[in-house]
Amino acid sequence: MCCKDFRERPGLWEYLPMLKLTDFIIDCPEPMKLAAFYAEVTGRPVNDNSTDWVSITFGEIELAFQRVDDYRAPSWPDDEHPKQFHLDFEVDEFEPEHERLTALGATLQKRFSKGEGYGWHIYTDPIGHPFCLCRNKGVVWKDGNPIHPS
């Protein structure tokens, strides 16, 4: 039963707990090193929390990096060891970001095109986590932020 179903049943919705997403946590062998990569990707500073937990703040949510000693990278888009998560980053143009991110250590895995310069490109970060650069038709940029069509 999804949230919409709860809202349609009188009285049930008011008893659900209030939830707030606070962290998105990525397992990795070296938290500071991976946080530094994503800090360069996003232009946001690293919060030097500890050697086992490091984060980057995005408003009310933190992107956190947690040490896992026996980390095993996903092989996505191959299914041998499927993705554990992936992040999407909307871009105004692919090529400048491709150049910047590959210089930081990202690896292009595959390009998907919808034509006219739209689509998505799959990359992996320096330890194998997948992420995508996306360029969606109809998205406009205002004050450095993408505005998606309603």
Side-chain angles (χ1 to χ4, degrees), residues 6 27 36 44 46 54 67 71 91 108 111 115 143:
F6 279 118
D27 292 347
R44 295 187 179 260
V46 172
V54 183
R67 181 179 309 282
Y71 172 76
V91 297
L108 176 65
R111 296 177 195 251
D143 300 325

Side-chain angles (χ1 to χ4, degrees), residues 3 14 16 33 53 57 59 104 108 111 114-115 123 125 132-133 136-138 140 143 145 150:
C3 294
E14 66 193 38
L16 291 178
K33 191 172 181 179
W53 175 278
T57 302
L104 291 171
L108 176 65
R111 296 177 195 251
K114 294 181 183 178
Y123 290 81
D125 66 25
C132 296
L133 296 185
N136 291 295
K137 197 169 193 169
V140 295
D143 300 325
N145 293 302
S150 325

Side-chain angles (χ1 to χ4, degrees), residues 18-37:
M18 295 301 293
L19 298 176
K20 181 178 177 181
L21 179 62
T22 58
D23 298 281
F24 186 92
I25 303 161
I26 300 174
D27 292 347
C28 60
E30 298 180 61
M32 184 56 82
K33 191 172 181 179
L34 191 57
F37 170 80

Side-chain angles (χ1 to χ4, degrees), residues 29-79:
E30 298 180 61
M32 184 56 82
K33 191 172 181 179
L34 191 57
F37 170 80
Y38 281 104
E40 289 290 330
V41 168
T42 63
R44 295 187 179 260
V46 172
N47 302 322
D48 190 5
N49 305 80
S50 75
T51 58
D52 293 329
W53 175 278
V54 183
S55 64
I56 300 170
T57 302
F58 293 86
E60 297 177 348
I61 298 173
E62 285 191 332
L63 179 59
F65 307 89
Q66 173 178 276
R67 181 179 309 282
V68 171
D69 292 328
D70 294 328
Y71 172 76
R72 193 169 137 204
S75 59
W76 186 73
D78 186 5
D79 287 332

Side-chain angles (χ1 to χ4, degrees), residues 66 93 95 130:
Q66 173 178 276
E93 292 190 38
E95 203 52 39

Side-chain angles (χ1 to χ4, degrees), residues 76-77 107-112 120-124 130-132:
W76 186 73
T107 303
L108 176 65
Q109 298 297 324
K110 194 166 186 178
R111 296 177 195 251
F112 291 92
W120 65 96
H121 298 174
I122 300 171
Y123 290 81
T124 49
F131 67 93
C132 296

